[in-house]
Amino acid sequence: IISSILQEDNLIKKMCTTAACWFILDLIFYGNTLFTPLVLEKAFGSAETLQKNSRDAAILSCIALPGYFVSVFTIGYQTPIWVQSQGFLLMAV
């Protein structure tokens, strides 16, 4: 197994680009997690109860669902790099 891994063309480039994509995803995901209370307060006002806060967070999470479905249906037709770059672009918008 190790010999076949070492014979892979552009292995370092593939590993670095994959690691960079995951790093960017982590930054976006954890950044959103850290700032969710601020976003919820600006979007829906101050949440007085845990139930209202959970409902508002669920609404914001549902906004991402179309992107998940689009990526599942296009992954067979487009390259993973194209799907990831489109996802990062739309998250930035």
Side-chain angles (χ1 to χ4, degrees):
I1 293 175
I2 294 174
S3 63
S4 63
I5 291 172
L6 294 176
Q7 292 175 356
E8 177 75 30
D9 292 336
N10 298 324
L11 181 64
I12 300 298
K13 180 182 175 185
K14 291 176 184 177
M15 288 178 60
C16 289
T17 53
T18 302
C21 287
W22 279 106
F23 179 71
I24 293 169
L25 180 67
D26 285 345
L27 284 177
I28 293 169
F29 178 77
Y30 292 119
N32 285 340
T33 303
L34 287 173
F35 292 109
T36 295
L38 297 174
V39 171
L40 288 174
E41 185 176 344
K42 294 291 183 185
F44 300 107
S46 66
E48 298 166 0
T49 64
L50 180 61
Q51 182 179 7
K52 185 175 184 238
N53 196 11
S54 299
R55 183 200 69 206
D56 296 343
I59 290 170
L60 288 179
S61 296
C62 287
I63 293 171
L65 281 177
Y68 296 144
F69 290 121
V70 168
S71 67
V72 166
F73 291 120
T74 60
I75 196 71
Y77 303 106
Q78 301 294 332
T79 63
I81 293 173
W82 184 87
V83 173
Q84 281 186 334
S85 63
Q86 296 303 312
F88 288 141
L89 177 68
L90 289 175
M91 280 194 286
V93 172

